Amino acid sequence: MSTLEKFRLDCRICVVTGGARGIGRAIVVAMLDAGAYVEIADLDARAAEAAAQELRGNGRDIGASGLDVTSPAAVDAYCASVRGKHGRIDVLVNNAGIGRGFVPAETMTDETWRQVMDVNLDGLFYCSRSFGRVMLEQGGGAIVNLGSMSGEIVNRPQEQAHYNASKAGVHHLTRSLAAEWGERGVRVNAIAPTYVETDMTTEFIAREDLKPYWIGATPLGRAGRPEEIASVVLFLASDAASLVTGAIVLADGGYTCW
Ligand code: NDP
């Protein structure tokens, strides 16, 4: 197999959580481009189906389902249905995640803290556990987690302890699962992006008061685009990354250099 061929995902069964929009949607597109069969799982079943419909064509077939990653029972049932449909699952991209705004720690409600942890960390664990079991049984697979540079540094000037802590948890969970499952053929990695232009961030990226911190503090001098995250996810999911596991790959425009 040539080096370039190792980046392809022909006939691989790939699941992308939160794949209906934003970074998740760009990941779905990248995987389709690489030849994969993709299953989109999103909180909003109609949004998942709408994204799948938009991307179908050129003979590309895409599955779409509603899934709340915070429900372990729903995750197990969804995983069983994907396995029943395809017989195997090669790649899981844990992309579903939420922000819930800027909140000083001393005024954060239990509800806000819990919501962010539930989706970003607990949900990611439930999906990894469920799909990981299938991958371990079949003797191989790749999991790619959406972490964040917020899991490595504390963003300025906004206060977001809930988000930062959830993503730091994602990074160490990534290393923990990689260590547990490596010998059994399952690779687990994370990508840690900078600010990326999606519905989660557009209004903030445009704010003049944030620009000196968000953009001015980034050596590349700009925010990221979803497809720039998708290409790194594709690499980590593919055989081109066969020696890479437990890695937190920064795609941060250099933000953490300063
Ligand atoms: P978006 O808000 O644009 O999209 C997130 C997607 O996840 C939506 O489709 C959303 O569904 C879905 N989702 C939310 N909660 C759940 C849930 N409980 N179960 C299943 N799906 C759910 O986010 P981004 O594309 O910006 O972010 C994607 C990932 O990248 C997240 O993990 C985020 O933390 C991470 N990231 C983003 C950065 C950025 O600057 N944008 C930077 C660093 C990391 P619905 O629309 O129905 O709510």
Side-chain angles (χ1 to χ4, degrees), residues 188-201:
V188 187
N189 291 291
I191 176 167
T194 182
Y195 302 107
V196 180
E197 292 167 14
T198 68
D199 293 346
M200 189 187 267
T201 51

Side-chain angles (χ1 to χ4, degrees), residues 32 40 56 76 121 126 128 155-156 208 239 245:
L32 291 168
I40 299 175
R56 279 180 193 126
D76 284 348
L121 185 56
Y126 300 145
S128 302
N155 304 65
R156 290 182 304 153
E208 287 304 323
D239 291 345
T245 198

Side-chain angles (χ1 to χ4, degrees), residues 46-59:
R46 275 184 305 186
E49 184 48 43
Q53 260 185 27
E54 231 180 273
L55 296 172
R56 279 180 193 126
N58 299 328

Side-chain angles (χ1 to χ4, degrees), residues 18 20-24 42-44 67-70 95-98 119 146-148 163 167 193-196 198-201:
R21 63 189 175 98
I23 294 171
D42 206 286
L43 190 56
D44 181 346
L67 174 69
D68 182 350
V69 297
T70 67
N95 165 79
I98 59 173
V119 179
L146 266 289
S148 170
Y163 187 82
K167 293 298 185 180
T194 182
Y195 302 107
V196 180
T198 68
D199 293 346
M200 189 187 267
T201 51

